[in-house]
């Protein structure tokens, strides 16, 4: 079951999936398409932002069940091509960094250190960051207008989507997936929601909910990401030890 929990965490972070069986969704609503297009246009000019993430995973296998809660936060500075993120799960905290076209993932104890991997140069650098990746998910899916909704006391516009496995797989992040064989799991359902400030066209929050099965076990995950401090001064410092003899083949014990 531990591998299923890890797999569903990876999938919910847009890292990949197995098969996905669903009826063809209806055509997109024009109002929803406009919201996504305007959000994409606005975000394309954003040079920096911060994000906060919460994830809840429930997995079961027969009489056994497990619940995992994950939270994290980070900052992105597109102008200097740097990103920092911290992810916390139970008693562990993992730091990761992107510096230009190199990504550094903190490794768990007892190994420590960082694994390094190249960031693709075939797409704009920003598409490797959480907000741009979520917008790509909506851009490549049929989207639907759900009207106005109050979020934390502020009026937003809500758009939903039901992304296909192919769409999620197109946004796969090999740094997250590592050597895990996700093809053994089947993504049975995926729904996404995006809240946008109608005055600024900036996303305020996104949510992705997925269900996955693997070898008789099932799991459901919901990941919510909030976006803030658009355009604010964002200095991202990377500790010198990140660059000290990083693991070239991934974190030890990760496979």
């Amino acid at each position: 079951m531990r591998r299923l929990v890890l797999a569903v965490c990876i999938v919910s972070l847009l890292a990949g999936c197995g098969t996905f069986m669903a009826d063809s969704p209806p055509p997109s609503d024009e109002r929803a398409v406009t919201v996504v297009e305007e959000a994409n246009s606005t975000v394309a000019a954003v040079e920096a932002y911060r994000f906060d993430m919460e994830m809840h995973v429930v997995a079961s296998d027969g009489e056994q069940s497990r619940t995992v809660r994950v939270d994290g936060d980070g900052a992105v500075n597109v102008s200097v091509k740097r990103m920092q993120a911290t992810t916390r799960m139970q008693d562990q905290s993992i730091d990761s960094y992107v510096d230009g076209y190199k990504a550094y993932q903190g490794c768990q104890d007892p190994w420590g250190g960082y694994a390094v991997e190249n960031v693709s140069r075939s797409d704009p650098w920003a598409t490797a960051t959480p907000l741009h990746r979520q917008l790509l998910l909506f851009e490549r899916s049929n989207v639907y207008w759900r009207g106005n909704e109050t979020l934390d006391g502020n009026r937003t516009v809500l758009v939903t989507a039901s992304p296909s496995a192919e769409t999620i797989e197109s946004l796969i992040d090999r740094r997250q997936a590592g050597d895990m064989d996700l093809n053994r799991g089947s993504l049975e359902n995926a729904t996404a929601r995006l809240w946008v400030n109608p005055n600024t066209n900036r996303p305020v929050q996104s949510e992705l909910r997925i269900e996955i099965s693997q070898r008789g076990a099932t799991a459901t995950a919901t990941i919510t990401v909030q976006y803030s401090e658009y355009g604010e001064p964002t200095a991202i410092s990377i500790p010198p030890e990140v660059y000290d003899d990083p693991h070239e083949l991934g974190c030890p014990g990760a496979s």
Side-chain angles (χ1 to χ4, degrees):
M1 185 186 297
R2 178 178 179 275
R3 290 184 63 84
L4 178 62
V5 171
L6 292 174
V8 79
C9 289
I10 289 170
V11 173
S12 63
L13 289 168
L14 298 183
C17 58
T19 58
F20 182 46
M21 302 298 294
D23 296 332
S24 297
S28 295
D29 296 335
E30 287 303 318
R31 287 183 297 180
V33 171
T34 299
V35 170
V36 174
E37 289 178 345
E38 291 178 346
N40 266 313
S41 178
T42 300
V43 167
V46 169
E47 293 189 349
Y49 66 91
R50 294 184 180 274
F51 59 92
D52 292 274
M53 180 270 290
E54 292 184 356
M55 180 163 58
H56 182 234
V57 183
V58 179
S60 61
D61 185 1
E63 296 181 354
Q64 296 183 342
S65 64
R66 184 181 181 185
T67 298
V68 174
R69 297 182 185 277
V70 181
D71 70 271
D73 55 73
V76 175
N77 191 320
V78 178
S79 59
V80 298
K81 294 182 173 62
R82 277 193 169 189
M83 180 172 73
Q84 175 274 327
T86 300
T87 303
R88 295 170 289 271
M89 182 173 66
Q90 297 174 340
D91 60 345
Q92 299 187 46
S93 180
I94 300 296
D95 293 322
S96 60
Y97 303 90
V98 177
D99 186 5
Y101 291 93
K102 295 286 186 179
Y104 300 87
Q105 176 73 45
C107 299
Q108 299 179 6
D109 294 334
W111 297 278
Y114 290 81
V116 61
E117 186 170 341
N118 293 328
V119 174
S120 173
R121 294 176 180 266
S122 61
D123 296 311
W125 182 89
T127 59
T129 71
L131 174 58
H132 294 76
R133 193 172 293 274
Q134 288 290 337
L135 285 176
L136 279 176
L137 175 72
F138 279 83
E139 187 180 76
R140 297 174 184 179
S141 305
N142 285 2
V143 292
Y144 311 99
W145 167 274
R146 301 305 183 194
N148 296 324
E149 184 167 307
T150 301
L151 187 66
D152 295 330
N154 299 310
R155 186 172 72 89
T156 65
V157 171
L158 175 61
V159 174
T160 63
S162 297
S164 66
E166 290 77 13
T167 296
I168 295 179
E169 195 169 32
S170 71
L171 299 172
I172 189 170
D173 188 340
R174 298 296 179 183
R175 299 190 309 276
Q176 297 275 357
D179 296 326
M180 184 176 295
D181 183 6
L182 294 180
N183 290 327
R184 297 176 182 175
S186 295
L187 180 61
E188 297 177 343
N189 193 20
T191 57
R193 298 197 289 176
L194 180 69
W195 290 262
V196 178
N197 184 322
N199 298 318
T200 64
N201 296 323
R202 293 173 174 172
V204 176
Q205 179 173 291
S206 63
E207 179 187 278
L208 180 65
R209 187 177 190 275
I210 63 138
E211 298 174 7
I212 192 172
S213 63
Q214 187 181 69
R215 297 178 178 177
T218 60
T220 301
T222 302
I223 180 171
T224 304
V225 185
Q226 296 178 328
Y227 311 96
S228 62
E229 299 186 38
Y230 285 99
E232 296 294 325
T234 306
I236 298 176
S237 299
I238 301 179
E241 58 267 25
V242 170
Y243 306 104
D244 293 342
D245 194 24
H247 305 289
E248 299 284 349
L249 300 178
C251 287
S255 59

